[in-house]
Amino acid sequence: MDAGKEKRQMKKFITGLLVIAWMASIFAFSAQDATESSQTSQSVSYRIAKWQDRLFGQGKTEEELLHQAEGMQLFVRKGAHMGEYAMLAMLLAVHLGCYPIPKKRALLLALLLAACYAATDEFHQVFVPGRAGRAADVCIDSIGGLAGIFAVFLFWKKKREI
C-alpha cells in the first residue's frame, strides 16, 4: 500500500473513532435521569453567573447568583444541545469527506445523519426516568448540526476543497 493510501485509511479510522466516541458521549448525557441532568446544567449555569459577577464586579449575593443561574438554565441546556450536535455534524462531515464523494454531498449527508441521531437520542430519552423525547429538541439539535456544517463548509471553502 502506498503512503498516501495508508494516510487516507488512517484518517478514515481516526475520524470514524471520533464520531463514535462523540455519539457515545451524547448517549451518556442523555442517559442521565432528570435530577442528574438538571444538576449538571444548574452547576454550569451557576459557574457562568459567578464568572459574570467577578468579571463585572457586581458583588451579587449567593441568593442572587442562584436566582440568575436558575434563570439561564434553559438557555444553557439548549445551547449545550446545539453545541453537541454542531460538533457531531462537523465530525461526521470530516469523516465523510475522507470518502470519494463530492464535498457538498458529504455535508448534506452529515447534516442528515446528525438530525437522525438527534431523533434517536430523543427516543432514547423516553425511557430515561424523568426525561422526555421532544420534537422541539430534535429541531434545536438539528440547528446546531446546521451550524457545524456551515463551519466545515466555510473551512473547506477557504481551503478551496469545495
Side-chain angles (χ1 to χ4, degrees), residues 98-124:
C98 295
Y99 292 88
I101 59 174
K103 296 289 188 188
K104 288 182 182 177
R105 184 168 292 158
L107 292 171
L108 288 173
L109 185 54
L111 178 58
L112 178 65
L113 289 171
C116 287
Y117 193 71
T120 63
D121 186 52
E122 288 303 314
F123 179 70
H124 162 235

Side-chain angles (χ1 to χ4, degrees), residues 2-152:
D2 68 76
K5 189 171 182 179
E6 262 185 54
K7 186 176 177 181
R8 285 189 301 276
Q9 288 298 105
M10 184 56 75
K11 186 176 178 184
K12 283 181 190 178
F13 178 75
I14 291 171
T15 59
L17 275 180
L18 289 172
V19 166
I20 291 167
W22 194 252
M23 289 174 136
S25 175
I26 290 171
F27 185 89
F29 277 114
S30 293
Q32 292 179 333
D33 66 25
T35 302
E36 190 177 3
S37 179
S38 290
Q39 287 173 346
T40 300
S41 57
Q42 179 66 23
S43 171
V44 171
S45 298
Y46 180 79
R47 282 185 259 154
I48 292 170
K50 198 165 181 128
W51 172 80
Q52 178 192 14
D53 182 58
R54 279 196 309 261
L55 181 67
F56 296 110
Q58 296 169 316
K60 290 185 177 180
T61 65
E62 188 68 20
E63 185 178 320
E64 290 171 323
L65 289 171
L66 288 170
H67 182 71
Q68 181 182 349
E70 187 177 303
M72 70 171 73
Q73 190 171 355
L74 178 66
F75 295 105
V76 168
R77 289 176 80 88
K78 300 311 172 188
H81 274 257
M82 290 178 77
E84 287 175 345
Y85 282 88
M87 179 60 75
L88 177 60
M90 287 188 286
L91 290 170
L92 283 164
V94 170
H95 179 67
L96 292 170
C98 295
Y99 292 88
I101 59 174
K103 296 289 188 188
K104 288 182 182 177
R105 184 168 292 158
L107 292 171
L108 288 173
L109 185 54
L111 178 58
L112 178 65
L113 289 171
C116 287
Y117 193 71
T120 63
D121 186 52
E122 288 303 314
F123 179 70
H124 162 235
Q125 287 184 32
V126 169
F127 302 100
V128 177
R131 303 287 294 270
R134 293 187 174 92
D137 283 347
V138 175
C139 293
I140 289 167
D141 297 343
S142 297
I143 290 169
L146 183 60
I149 291 302
F150 187 65
V152 173

